[in-house]
Amino acid sequence: MDICVSKLMMFSIRGFWRRHRRKVILSVGLLGSGYTLYKLYGAQKQRLLDLEKELEVERETNELIKAQLQAHFESIQRIADSTTLPYAIHYLQSRISQDLDLSNSMQRLIQAKSQPSLLTKAEKVELWERLKILGFVKLVLSLWAITLLSLYIRVQVNILGRHLYIDTARKQGSSLVLEEADQFDKHGEQEFLATADYLSSYGMTQLIPSMEMAVTEVLKGKHLSDTFNAPVLRETIMQILDRFVSIDGPHHWVTYLVPENAVAYKRLTATSSSGLEAATTSLHPDIDKLDQLMAEARFVLSSEDFGGVVDISLRSVVDALVDEMGFGSLLPSGLALAKVLPEVSKMSLLLLEEAVRNKFIQVVRNLPAVQLFYTHLYANMPIVA
């Protein structure tokens, strides 16, 4: 009896299996798939949570790095504004005053007024002509130098800031904090910023003769009795600047601002201060990095975009200078060139006034084209190999 029941149950199960095999297989498959999907979902959810945590940590790290970079970049800017630029202007003023001293010629002419026999007519004419040339050399050279120096120091700041950003970004995956990154330590930054003195120390030797040549060519047809008003003065200064650029080529003036290479620069500065022996010992192991910074500075200064910024800046400073001299309001009809020369001499001093009070530097800084240039420069600095 039990055997029969067992057989019947087996037949019944087999019949059920035959009739519902597909349904059973499908149900089991769905259950298995559901369980697998559940496990996959759980694993994927956990991975997403882990990823969110990683992204949050990375975001916090990036914010910290950005804050550190911004603080360091602002520190570099403060060094440039509070130390580098004021010192460079002071040194520039001393060098121009020394190399383009007009006081002796002016004193001789003043003495000749009370002592007519002191100078012959030919000597007086020669002195006045010399004053005419050197007066405008001093004026235009001061105008060009203060404009280019303020622009160049800002280029230096952006190069350093951009390098710092790139170097730090490469180290984000490590445990190094910004203070431990030694590729651009404070000494290296200040050493690069110190090249701002190159113009006054060495570039001036070539700059003054080139500017004098340009002034001589432009003023050779202008007499001391010729009338100078605001438009004539503006046009004369611009002609001198244009002639100056054309003498040695459009980018030759870069050599007045930036050394050719770091090795020659280090040897030059060491030799001039401490002798030939110090020139060898002063070559630091990071000389290649300093050379790269100089190469990038030369690249930026030689670019077409920077040339446009220089042109806009010089024109704006010329306009501000002419307005400051008061031709338009006080003497719209103009003055004889001989009477303009003392004012020209005074304006040279005003152009080289200390940075915090120098209105011409502020004119350059406030130009929208200048601000836009430095924004693009920091964001898209091409690295020169």
Side-chain angles (χ1 to χ4, degrees):
M1 185 67 178
D2 292 336
I3 295 173
C4 291
V5 171
S6 298
K7 288 183 178 180
L8 287 172
M9 290 180 66
M10 289 178 63
F11 287 138
S12 177
I13 290 171
R14 288 175 182 173
F16 179 81
W17 173 253
R18 283 195 299 269
R19 292 192 302 273
H20 302 287
R21 180 176 59 184
R22 292 188 176 182
K23 295 179 179 181
V24 172
I25 292 173
L26 181 60
S27 298
V28 172
L30 289 174
L31 289 173
S33 299
Y35 179 75
T36 302
L37 289 174
Y38 173 77
K39 296 293 290 182
L40 289 173
Y41 170 76
Q44 182 67 16
K45 185 176 180 180
Q46 186 60 44
R47 281 197 294 269
L48 289 174
L49 290 174
D50 293 341
L51 180 60
E52 287 180 0
K53 290 180 180 179
E54 291 176 3
L55 290 174
E56 182 62 27
V57 171
E58 184 178 354
R59 189 159 42 244
E60 292 177 356
T61 302
N62 287 339
E63 290 300 322
L64 177 60
I65 290 174
K66 287 180 181 179
Q68 290 175 320
L69 283 171
Q70 183 63 28
H72 192 80
F73 184 54
E74 290 175 356
S75 175
I76 296 173
Q77 287 182 313
R78 284 195 296 272
I79 291 173
D81 291 340
S82 64
T83 304
T84 308
L85 184 58
Y87 179 79
I89 291 176
H90 176 73
Y91 195 15
L92 180 67
Q93 183 185 45
S94 299
R95 183 65 190 271
I96 292 176
S97 298
Q98 176 183 338
D99 291 359
L100 295 171
D101 185 11
L102 308 180
S103 59
N104 185 47
S105 297
M106 290 292 296
Q107 188 63 32
R108 291 183 66 190
L109 286 173
I110 293 173
Q111 290 177 350
K113 283 187 176 181
S114 58
Q115 304 176 45
S117 60
L118 187 64
L119 295 173
T120 66
K121 184 177 180 180
E123 288 174 334
K124 289 181 181 178
V125 171
E126 183 180 355
L127 274 177
W128 273 110
E129 286 297 317
R130 190 61 182 158
L131 278 175
K132 179 183 74 173
I133 299 299
L134 290 185
F136 272 89
V137 169
K138 191 173 183 179
L139 175 71
V140 182
L141 187 144
S142 299
L143 186 152
W144 183 90
I146 198 65
T147 303
L148 269 294
L149 191 61
S150 62
L151 290 173
Y152 170 54
I153 290 176
R154 191 61 61 178
V155 167
Q156 289 181 305
V157 170
N158 279 272
I159 288 176
L160 288 174
R162 180 62 174 168
H163 264 285
L164 182 66
Y165 176 83
I166 292 173
D167 286 344
T168 306
R170 288 171 178 167
K171 298 176 182 179
Q172 283 186 19
S174 68
S175 58
L176 286 174
V177 295
L178 188 61
E179 289 76 12
E180 295 173 338
D182 58 359
Q183 288 194 30
F184 282 94
D185 58 13
K186 290 185 178 180
H187 174 74
E189 293 165 358
Q190 292 174 2
E191 187 174 37
F192 178 52
L193 288 173
T195 62
D197 287 338
Y198 184 80
L199 172 64
S200 299
S201 300
Y202 311 103
M204 199 66 67
T205 304
Q206 297 178 351
L207 173 58
I208 290 177
S210 294
M211 188 64 74
E212 185 172 346
M213 185 183 301
V215 170
T216 302
E217 290 188 16
V218 172
L219 295 185
K220 63 184 177 182
K222 299 184 183 298
H223 305 288
L224 294 172
S225 58
D226 289 350
T227 300
F228 265 59
N229 54 23
V232 172
L233 180 61
R234 182 182 290 106
E235 182 183 1
T236 300
I237 295 174
M238 291 308 305
Q239 285 177 348
I240 293 170
L241 289 170
D242 291 340
R243 183 67 191 116
F244 164 71
V245 172
S246 66
I247 287 175
D248 297 312
H251 301 304
H252 182 74
W253 54 264
V254 176
T255 61
Y256 305 147
L257 284 169
V258 190
E260 289 284 348
N261 57 73
V263 174
Y265 170 70
K266 294 296 294 181
R267 285 182 175 153
L268 184 64
T269 54
T271 302
S272 63
S273 59
S274 305
L276 186 59
E277 182 179 353
T280 304
T281 58
S282 65
L283 296 179
H284 302 294
D286 60 346
I287 196 73
D288 290 340
K289 183 57 68 174
L290 179 59
D291 195 56
Q292 182 185 4
L293 292 172
M294 289 181 179
E296 291 179 14
R298 293 175 65 86
F299 182 85
V300 173
L301 267 59
S302 301
S303 68
E304 184 177 347
D305 289 341
F306 187 76
V309 167
V310 169
D311 184 64
I312 292 172
S313 299
L314 287 173
R315 291 180 182 278
S316 298
V317 173
V318 170
D319 289 342
L321 177 70
V322 173
D323 290 342
E324 185 71 21
M325 293 181 73
F327 277 97
S329 58
L330 299 179
L331 295 166
S333 59
L335 284 172
L337 177 55
K339 293 184 178 181
V340 172
L341 291 180
E343 295 300 318
V344 166
S345 181
K346 291 179 184 178
M347 295 309 298
S348 301
L349 297 175
L350 190 61
L351 281 163
L352 298 174
E353 195 172 29
E354 61 184 71
V356 293
R357 296 187 303 174
N358 195 309
K359 63 181 64 179
F360 302 104
I361 291 178
Q362 295 302 321
V363 166
V364 173
R365 285 184 178 177
N366 293 334
L367 289 172
V370 172
Q371 296 173 354
L372 183 62
F373 171 79
Y374 288 119
T375 300
H376 287 168
L377 178 64
Y378 184 71
N380 306 295
M381 176 78 69
I383 302 302
V384 180

